[in-house]
Amino acid sequence: MSLGAVTHEDFEGRKGTIEAGDLQWMTAGRGVVHSEIPAPEGTQKGLQLWVNLSSQHKMIQPRYQEISSNNIAEAARDGIKVRVIAGEALGVKSTIYTTTPTMYLDFTLKPGSHLQQPIPKSYNAFVYILEGEGIFGQDSTTSSPISAHNLLLLSGFGDGLMAWNKGSKILRFILVGGEPLGEPVAQLGPFVMNTQEEIDQTIEDFENYTNGFEKAKHWRSEARIELGY
């Protein structure tokens, strides 16, 4: 998701521009060399989420799912608007397929509105506040308002997420959740596997242009070249 525009391309020849409010859901799988460059003018703001893949899916073929801003699933009710990036809210489902069970919801609450959003009990979840301030929890009378650019790690969902906008301005936040895989994680830079041995093999494949990285050997990002990188 972005404000402004970002150009992207990869070693398979795929390229395009992510405009304001657009969505790109990339599944890296066995690996993809990818470039993202902000457009030359204006302000760029974006949100990027990394979702782990299970061991049985880590070596699948890379794929993209892209949705323009005006085609992202939306719903509105009782002063609440939601853009459904992944998962379901207010009876509306996203068209994005997530290999790992994931919810990613972009909520906007008008002043005086109250949200109750279910969260699967098996999920881990967090809230990141983009704009305004709101009250989160089970009791709006005892909790203090939380302002923009704070993250809330959720636990013990009970009836799901409860949120109130008792201020005079809109409250906007994302709710992100996912089902833990219950597997070990090994990570080095952008590479995420299950063991250190797998990380070592991945680095070897990347450096030697093998096992999916063959096309990276002679590829250079055109956008980066234009900018002098």
Side-chain angles (χ1 to χ4, degrees), residues 100-158:
T100 300
T102 306
M103 67 186 311
Y104 190 137
L105 307 173
D106 178 359
F107 284 104
T108 300
L109 275 62
K110 292 182 178 180
S113 58
H114 167 225
L115 169 71
Q116 182 173 345
Q117 170 62 35
I119 302 174
K121 293 185 182 298
S122 61
Y123 278 25
N124 291 333
F126 67 87
V127 164
Y128 181 72
I129 303 167
L130 298 168
E131 186 177 352
E133 64 176 25
I135 297 175
F136 301 85
Q138 299 298 317
D139 187 351
S140 67
T141 62
T142 59
S143 300
S144 300
I146 308 297
S147 58
H149 311 305
N150 282 290
L151 184 145
L152 306 176
L153 186 62
L154 305 181
S155 64
F157 301 138

Side-chain angles (χ1 to χ4, degrees), residues 39 76 138 158 185 188 226:
Q138 299 298 317
V185 175
L188 179 65
E226 291 175 0

Side-chain angles (χ1 to χ4, degrees), residues 29 52 58-59 184-188 191-195 198-199 202:
N52 193 15
K58 277 188 166 61
M59 300 303 289
V185 175
Q187 180 262 335
L188 179 65
F191 303 111
V192 181
M193 299 298 288
N194 293 96
T195 67
E198 291 173 343
I199 287 289
T202 301

Side-chain angles (χ1 to χ4, degrees), residues 12-32:
E12 291 283 356
R14 290 172 290 226
K15 62 176 63 177
T17 301
I18 306 170
E19 302 284 356
D22 290 351
L23 165 65
Q24 181 189 79
W25 193 279
M26 177 204 294
T27 302
R30 65 188 296 174
V32 58

Side-chain angles (χ1 to χ4, degrees), residues 8 14 18 22-27 62-68 85 94-99:
H8 69 93
R14 290 172 290 226
I18 306 170
D22 290 351
L23 165 65
Q24 181 189 79
W25 193 279
M26 177 204 294
T27 302
R63 64 177 299 209
Y64 292 84
Q65 300 173 80
E66 296 182 320
I67 304 178
S68 62
I85 308 304
S94 170
T95 58
I96 290 292
Y97 171 75
T98 63
T99 306

